[in-house]
Amino acid sequence: MSRTQTRRVVSLWQLWATLVALSLVLTGCTNQERGNPDGWVEIVPETVPEIAALVPEDLQKRGVLRMGTNTPFAPFEFKDSDGTIIGTEMDLGRALASVMGLEFEPVEQDFALILPSVSSGTVDVGGSGFTDTEERRQNYDFVNTLYAGIQWAQHAERDAEIDPEHPCGLTVAVQRNTVAQTDEIIPKSQACAEAGEEPIEILAYDTSDNAATAFVLGRADAFAADSPIVSWVEDQADGEIQEVGPMYHAAPYGFAVPKDAELTNALVAAMDHLIETGTYEEILDQWNIQDGLIEEPLVNEKPVEIPLSHTLAP
């Protein structure tokens, strides 16, 4: 699966700037700074000695978990106005590292270089909106973080709620060559035409931020993108848009590690600890992600045995 199919890239601080510029036209537009959301706090759990003991010895000595990533892909990873890499995956990575007794260091790389860097040991983990696919599982294991799929959104003031199951005749903004376009909007448009109804008018843009901006400006009836992206845009638009319909084409996201790596055991135990203590949900909630959360540690979308003799959650 290509990067454009697995990462629906969005630079949302550009959208913020657009919304602010439109504030005379669109009421309630965001006035947040280009950074973490309102109410965000850094969540750094205490180290759990039993989990820290599972960390490979060389990594224990170094004391820093290095995560390869590529920006922008808000809310997962993007830069704030100071150039610091922030986002959901950065917060999760920092929390996992802390539970394992490690500091956390994001390493910005070209997207195509991240997995090779994981293989070579240049970075310990790959965290850049990776979809956990069968093809990638041939060489890597994925400690899953959540499920994401395609979500629709409409303008909140629209008289009638859009039904994504019956979208004939609508104008829909999407990012070009993404799953939202190729697997969701185009097939539904074709089905409309085959049924003798008006097809969907597809407004395809190079980036999700451009698609979202066109939608906010009123050039489209609906916007379709990755569910976390839509939730994030909805949160930043301060009531101007709302999600509609279910999530389509759900797939697992995850942090990539080398196949059968020793580090996987520590990551699985740390993820279990975050889930059991509620820290995992708290982190995602700060980024307005309430859907697609996992309920137990998964590797390659399969439950795994926690490599500890007893539960560590209080």
Side-chain angles (χ1 to χ4, degrees):
M1 185 177 292
S2 68
R3 181 185 182 187
T4 55
Q5 289 178 311
T6 58
R7 300 190 69 225
R8 272 66 82 179
V9 181
V10 58
S11 176
L12 278 175
W13 60 82
Q14 295 175 13
L15 175 60
W16 295 343
T18 300
L19 292 176
V20 170
L22 292 171
S23 60
L24 295 178
V25 179
L26 300 176
T27 60
C29 293
T30 179
N31 59 4
Q32 292 183 350
E33 296 181 356
R34 301 175 186 176
N36 293 305
D38 281 347
W40 178 91
V41 294
E42 186 175 64
I43 298 174
V44 184
E46 295 290 332
T47 297
V48 179
E50 294 91 337
I51 295 177
L54 297 174
V55 176
E57 185 176 352
D58 60 340
L59 183 51
Q60 289 184 34
K61 292 180 179 178
R62 190 199 320 143
V64 178
L65 182 73
R66 300 172 300 196
M67 178 178 287
T69 193
N70 178 261
T71 63
F73 186 39
F76 291 100
E77 45 266 336
F78 60 105
K79 292 182 180 179
D80 65 13
S81 55
D82 295 324
T84 301
I85 301 176
I86 62 174
T88 312
E89 290 191 317
M90 300 301 100
D91 285 356
L92 276 175
R94 185 180 302 106
L96 290 169
S98 183
V99 170
M100 295 187 291
L102 304 170
E103 297 295 323
F104 177 70
E105 178 185 349
V107 179
E108 187 172 17
Q109 301 177 294
D110 289 341
F111 184 79
L113 297 180
I114 295 175
L115 292 181
S117 294
V118 170
S119 296
S120 68
T122 304
V123 297
D124 306 299
V125 180
S128 199
F130 284 112
T131 302
D132 172 8
T133 66
E134 288 292 343
E135 180 181 1
R136 287 175 172 158
R137 291 174 189 172
Q138 301 304 310
N139 298 301
Y140 304 93
D141 287 324
F142 288 86
V143 179
N144 297 131
T145 54
L146 78 158
Y147 282 85
I150 304 305
Q151 181 68 54
W152 287 58
Q154 70 171 46
H155 296 279
E157 72 277 8
R158 185 181 176 91
D159 291 336
E161 183 171 299
I162 286 174
D163 181 1
E165 293 293 333
H166 300 90
C168 303
L170 294 176
T171 300
V172 182
V174 295
Q175 183 183 353
R176 186 176 291 110
N177 297 325
T178 62
V179 171
Q181 181 186 25
T182 61
D183 293 11
E184 173 69 7
I185 304 303
I186 289 178
K188 287 185 175 180
S189 182
Q190 292 173 340
C192 290
E194 291 169 1
E197 299 186 58
E198 185 178 355
I200 298 171
E201 181 180 355
I202 304 172
L203 299 185
Y205 296 85
D206 289 337
T207 61
S208 285
D209 61 315
N210 288 336
T213 299
F215 165 62
V216 171
L217 281 168
R219 295 172 185 163
D221 301 304
F223 171 55
D226 269 15
S227 48
I229 292 174
V230 173
S231 294
W232 180 243
V233 174
E234 178 186 35
D235 185 59
Q236 301 308 302
D238 195 20
E240 290 296 326
I241 70 171
Q242 64 184 38
E243 298 177 10
V244 290
M247 182 171 62
Y248 299 91
H249 309 290
Y253 278 45
F255 290 151
V257 292
K259 200 72 179 174
D260 301 318
E262 184 182 355
L263 176 60
T264 304
N265 283 336
L267 284 170
V268 166
M271 179 62 77
D272 179 63
H273 184 72
L274 294 184
I275 293 171
E276 290 297 324
T277 58
T279 306
Y280 163 75
E281 183 177 359
E282 183 181 357
I283 290 172
L284 269 61
D285 186 63
Q286 290 198 130
W287 295 95
N288 198 34
I289 300 175
Q290 287 91 30
D291 297 324
L293 277 63
I294 60 174
E295 298 179 354
E296 61 180 328
L298 303 174
V299 174
N300 301 335
E301 209 176 358
K302 294 181 180 179
V304 291
E305 182 178 350
I306 308 304
L308 296 167
S309 59
H310 59 280
T311 180
L312 298 172

